[in-house]
Amino acid sequence: MNRYYKTVNINTALGRKSLGSVLVIYTGGTIGMDHDPSSGSLIPFDFERIIEQVPELKRFQFELTVLSFQELIDSSDVNLDHWLELSRIIDDFYDEYDGFVVLHGTDTMAYTASAISFMTKNLSKPIIFTGAQLPIGASRTDARDNLIAALEIASTQRDGKALIPEVCIYFDNLLLRGNRSKKAQNFNFTAFESANYQPLAVAGIHIDYNLSAVRKTNDKPFSTLTKLDPNVLILKIFPGISQSYVKHVLQTPDLRGIVLETYGSGNAPTDKWFLDLVSDAISRDIIIYNVSQCDGGSVTQGKYITSKYLGDTGVIGGSDITSEAAVTKLMVLLGNYSDLGKVKKLLAKSLCGEITL
Ligand code: ASP
């Protein structure tokens, strides 16, 4: 195990045959917090004491290793270096574990899960993100249930193969495809939704898997893409958006890609100045990816004249992709492929189940 990380090995299968192994990667967030009696504040929980907090783990028959990021973060502080670190850890330990659980703050979990889905190629093992609305030490915490179910999903196999070979978010009974998820609640326990794709499983008394919705794997070797381009941004259209603002944004130095958050089925203002600015940006090789502000439904460029103009200028329709998936897909594609034509083609395709075609 890498000496740069703090790791704890927990054999929940003591005395019994181990049914699998899971690497838990703890990045920070509310889930791993505990109440510090001396200061009265929330501090990161020591995973050596995980069995004390989650005694149910003893019933599982798997080997668990918990690896903590050196610096635990609130997920609002997540950046591209964290995503590269996470994918590097998964790559380093891919062959050693049957599945991975990533403990992450909820605020940006959908972005990280989306990024990791695009950075991992030929995935045949589960990478299950989870977190909690209440710290693991709190009496009504959702952390225990989320963690236990995520571990169960990450270790479940059928005929020697992972049942869910995908990057997912498990939260409050729902297993969602990571790049289809959005944080939709900061009050209820059901923090995530996936408006355009069905859950891959629903946990009740049993975990009821929706296997026909799960992506098929291939036998090619697993690898990770190791570059991300930070020169992308999200521009949300709103009534009254000013010419000077749009111009300023589109002239951001080094800009390479934009997620244009449009209305309804991909519609935007038809003012000449707006279309001219969009067209000018495209002529400077800036990629513009049209994503709807609506959570449900998809972009259909050409359905209305207000979106046809965008398509005519070379804006790429994002179908029903989320903004979280769109911006991370741009970072990954622009970071790894120099051929813009190829990037544009891949943006219009589903790379790992992020859009419905
Ligand atoms: N601010 C926290 C975070 O995203 C909230 C959470 O963990 O749910 O890290």
Side-chain angles (χ1 to χ4, degrees), residues 28-33 73-77 104-109 131-134 171 183:
T30 301
I31 188 168
M33 296 284 159
I73 52 161
D74 182 296
S75 77
S76 311
D77 279 324
H104 193 287
T106 55
D107 288 348
T108 60
M109 192 186 291
Q133 298 283 54
L134 286 174
F171 217 91
K183 182 170 180 181

Side-chain angles (χ1 to χ4, degrees), residues 113-165:
S114 296
I116 296 298
S117 78
F118 298 121
M119 294 165 82
T120 47
K121 293 186 80 175
N122 307 319
L123 184 66
S124 60
K125 297 185 179 185
I127 302 176
I128 313 295
F129 281 75
T130 196
Q133 298 283 54
L134 286 174
I136 201 158
S139 52
R140 290 176 53 248
T141 186
D142 50 338
R144 278 192 287 272
D145 285 353
N146 286 347
L147 175 62
I148 289 168
L151 288 170
E152 184 173 336
I153 293 162
S155 60
T156 299
Q157 303 210 334
R158 189 172 288 173
D159 302 328
K161 291 196 166 155
L163 203 59
I164 306 288

Side-chain angles (χ1 to χ4, degrees), residues 199-214:
L200 303 187
V202 178
I205 293 174
H206 304 289
I207 299 181
D208 188 11
Y209 290 98
N210 180 6
L211 292 180
S212 61
V214 177

